[in-house]
Amino acid sequence: MVASTHWLASASGMAVLEAGGNAFDAAVASGLVLHVVEPHLNGLGGDMPVLCHEASTGRTFTVCGQGVAPSSATAAAYDALGIEEIPGTGLLAATVPGTFGAWVLMLERYGTMRLRDVAGYAIGYARGGYPFLAQAAAAVANLEDVFRGHWHASAEIYLPGGRPPEAGDRFRNPALADTLERLVAEGEAAGDGREQQIEGARRAFYSGFVAEQLAAFAATEQYDGVGSGAHRGFLTGADLAAWHATEEEPATLDFAGVQVAKTQAWGQGPVLLQQLAMLDTFDLEEMPTADLVHTVTEVAKLAFADREAWYGDPEHSDVPIDELLSTDYAAERAGLVGREASGELRPGSPAGRTPRLPARVVAAMADGGAWSDGLATPGQGEPTVARGDTCHLDVADRWGNVVAATPSGGWLQSSPTIPGLGFALGTRAQMFWLEQGLPSSLVPGARPRTTLSPGLVLGEGRTLGFGTPGGDQQDQWTVPFLINHLVLGMGLQEAIDAPSWHSTHWPSSFAPRVAQPRGMRIEGRIGDEVVAQLRRRGHEVEVAGDWSLGRISAAGLHTDGMLHAAANARGMQGYASGR
């Protein structure tokens, strides 16, 4: 089974499975296709966490494809440029690209196919073309002037024939096809063995021709609309050469008779686990809809407040993850949920420790949740609203291996395309705070606290990969999905299709970090009476389109011994397939 946010990625993964490949092979093929066909949502220069289950060993693990801050990216360096907050656009926000490193680590250690076999689908679409998505066309049209006036390599690719492509146009990215083909070729030149070739391609990316072009481009001034309007990046060849994707243990929590696995707190993944731990103290099965939406939303406010106060790269900050996920702490926090919508940001005190929020968050929440820093840049804002989003894929094979991956970053909107490579650098450093002493403060070599958050469900004879694009919404939209599926007994597709909602109460992870205290967006299908009840409780409800919130997909082995998968109908783009 393969489920993803784009039908061509799902089809490519299925082709690999049908050719005898396993879930790891298929995930790499699907992911590389996503880099090609959803360039407004992710790219080869972006970042990615992966949750994996290896059936032969029973091992569940995370592959970390989140690159780190460059060695020269310090708070003092930004201050010298007169920058108080890392922007969401351009080279100043670039970290080491982690996606390719994660793909090749997974392929080398757990796959069975050669890089040429799994990369051929992406190369084919980049070279021969694919139907350009309406959302991608709108993104290019919005940035036409920036491309023409400043980002000339972006214009060469995204303004074919001198005009923005329209939805459905056959679109090609020959520069990206050349890059992928050269990575394969240089890998094959490294030796005859499969693993040798994959490692050769990794070296070509991180210390070979790709790294050389990335470093040279990062050293040039490029338009970003910040201050003087153009800046160099901090990323260097040494940063690229020093970085490797890694494996680590996931954070886990027992809920509804199964175990849920997420990334550690360098990502926001544990915020889902905290929500589930609190919700486990309520009788969810008997709740009327309005009560359920209210309770889930208030629990989310508490968990995300903890994210703001406590989450960061555990290798560079002391994250009390055991206490945050403990049963006693969850019960204590759940007791704060009242009948009315809270307007406060209330982090807890795990193990009696005193929480600390960023000073600008404290000031912003006191002032209604927003601040203005004067930036007006092409890539600013929450990606689900301002500039696109992210991608997701889930794969389950005949042997019981399951992979859930959430590639993102390197959007065509947020950073100029690198000449000759056909892709852009990511802007994940915007997740860091320049204020020092916080768990998510900028530290050279640290991982930014990413919003990317795939997950796995394990136990009771099932292994299920799941996830969604959506920035800060990722670990909100998946909460009602898991409740619907694990508690209320809905099938995967029914659980995905059910009306969804999310809170905008806390500061966004994306520049300029706007918050809307008591804010809520909810699909209109939830019903007028439910909306009215929520408003009476103090929620600032914005009714969204009936099919507009969430792009969840899922795939895995179900308790009945069958493989199951489902994809999101919203946007008419996601697709699940299997046999």
Side-chain angles (χ1 to χ4, degrees):
M1 292 281 181
V2 183
S4 82
T5 50
H6 196 287
W7 69 93
L8 291 177
S10 297
S12 300
M14 274 306 302
V16 168
L17 292 175
E18 291 179 335
N22 65 18
F24 303 100
D25 299 314
V28 177
S30 297
L32 292 175
V33 169
L34 287 176
H35 297 334
V36 174
V37 301
E38 293 191 318
H40 58 308
L41 308 181
N42 78 137
L44 200 61
D47 28 49
M48 173 184 68
V50 191
L51 266 291
C52 305
H53 179 76
E54 185 183 29
S56 62
T57 62
R59 194 166 68 95
T60 301
F61 57 95
T62 300
V63 173
C64 177
Q66 177 55 64
V68 300
S71 58
S72 61
T74 64
Y78 283 97
D79 183 64
L81 296 172
I83 293 171
E84 296 182 358
E85 299 293 332
I86 300 175
T89 300
L91 302 179
L92 285 170
T95 56
V96 174
T99 302
F100 188 73
W103 289 137
V104 294
L105 179 148
M106 194 164 61
L107 183 66
E108 179 182 355
R109 294 184 182 178
Y110 305 102
T112 64
M113 290 184 162
R114 295 178 184 268
L115 182 58
R116 177 174 294 279
D117 299 328
V118 297
Y121 305 91
I123 292 170
Y125 289 124
R127 180 78 65 204
Y130 60 92
F132 209 50
L133 293 170
Q135 190 185 38
V140 172
N142 288 338
L143 286 173
E144 181 179 359
D145 290 343
V146 173
F147 287 0
R148 291 189 190 280
H150 304 285
W151 295 356
H152 299 131
S154 297
E156 288 180 12
I157 294 172
Y158 294 106
L159 301 178
R163 65 167 182 84
E166 296 182 0
D169 281 358
R170 188 185 191 99
F171 184 82
R172 299 174 175 86
N173 188 340
L176 182 55
D178 290 344
T179 297
L180 291 169
E181 285 183 336
R182 186 171 173 186
L183 285 167
V184 171
E186 294 210 10
E188 290 175 343
D192 295 330
R194 191 185 75 90
E195 291 80 5
Q196 282 179 300
Q197 293 178 0
I198 295 169
E199 172 58 19
R202 192 201 67 78
R203 288 198 305 269
F205 192 101
Y206 288 98
S207 57
F209 79 98
V210 172
E212 291 170 2
Q213 290 172 259
L214 290 179
F217 188 70
T220 65
E221 285 195 349
Q222 298 293 325
Y223 172 78
D224 54 20
V226 181
S228 64
H231 293 89
R232 296 180 177 87
F234 295 105
L235 190 65
T236 67
D239 295 316
L240 292 157
W243 185 84
H244 287 76
T246 56
E247 290 184 31
E248 64 182 43
E249 293 297 312
T252 60
L253 181 89
D254 292 336
F255 174 77
V258 297
Q259 184 183 77
V260 182
K262 302 289 284 187
T263 70
Q264 293 290 342
W266 52 266
Q268 72 174 13
V271 84
L272 175 81
L273 306 182
Q274 285 194 249
Q275 291 173 84
L276 297 179
M278 285 184 270
L279 289 169
D280 216 16
T281 68
F282 295 91
D283 186 0
L284 302 176
E285 291 183 81
E286 301 300 323
M287 278 192 182
T289 301
D291 288 350
L292 180 64
V293 175
H294 169 79
T295 301
V296 168
T297 301
E298 293 304 296
V299 160
K301 292 177 184 178
L302 295 168
F304 277 86
D306 278 346
R307 182 195 73 169
E308 294 304 305
W310 297 110
Y311 287 24
D313 187 343
E315 294 182 7
H316 293 268
S317 59
D318 182 14
V319 182
I321 191 66
D322 291 340
E323 290 82 2
L324 288 168
L325 297 179
S326 71
T327 301
D328 289 346
Y329 183 72
E332 174 191 331
R333 298 287 279 159
L336 296 176
V337 175
R339 291 287 300 171
E340 302 298 317
S342 171
E344 300 176 85
L345 195 65
R346 299 180 289 177
S349 301
R353 296 169 60 171
T354 301
R356 178 184 168 187
L357 292 170
R360 295 193 75 179
V361 168
V362 174
M365 295 301 291
D367 194 33
W371 62 70
S372 174
D373 54 12
L375 301 182
T377 58
Q380 247 187 273
E382 165 64 46
T384 50
V385 176
R387 62 174 177 269
D389 203 340
T390 293
C391 306
H392 185 77
L393 64 90
D394 304 287
V395 186
D397 67 24
R398 70 195 75 176
W399 300 285
N401 301 305
V402 177
V403 176
T406 309
S408 186
W411 303 293
L412 67 86
Q413 304 94 313
S414 292
S415 195
T417 299
I418 301 153
L421 294 181
F423 65 87
L425 284 165
T427 54
R428 194 64 58 180
Q430 67 183 292
M431 308 282 154
F432 286 117
W433 289 98
L434 293 180
E435 178 184 346
Q436 294 297 288
L438 303 167
S440 54
S441 294
L442 173 66
V443 177
R447 292 170 287 188
R449 190 204 68 202
T450 179
T451 56
L452 307 176
S453 192
L456 288 176
V457 168
L458 304 137
E460 290 192 337
R462 80 176 80 192
T463 307
L464 179 72
F466 68 93
T468 178
D472 292 313
Q473 283 72 254
Q474 291 181 34
D475 287 306
Q476 295 189 74
W477 291 332
T478 51
V479 171
F481 160 72
L482 290 174
I483 292 172
N484 290 335
H485 182 54
L486 299 176
V487 178
L488 303 182
M490 294 184 188
L492 286 183
Q493 194 64 55
E494 184 183 9
I496 289 172
D497 288 348
S500 195
W501 66 91
H502 67 262
S503 174
T504 56
H505 176 77
W506 50 87
S508 168
S509 295
F510 297 86
R513 300 183 186 264
V514 173
Q516 299 171 306
R518 298 188 181 87
M520 176 192 292
R521 299 192 75 220
I522 195 166
E523 290 184 328
R525 292 182 293 133
I526 202 77
D528 293 342
E529 179 54 33
V530 171
V531 171
Q533 290 185 48
L534 293 169
R535 285 174 172 159
R536 285 195 291 271
R537 293 188 180 194
H539 296 283
E540 300 288 339
V541 182
E542 175 188 347
V543 178
D546 283 352
W547 295 84
S548 61
L549 303 181
R551 292 175 65 203
I552 297 170
S553 66
L557 180 69
H558 199 260
T559 52
D560 59 9
M562 302 283 282
L563 292 177
H564 287 226
N568 192 55
R570 298 163 177 88
M572 300 174 65
Q573 186 177 316
Y575 208 83
S577 61
R579 74 173 181 88

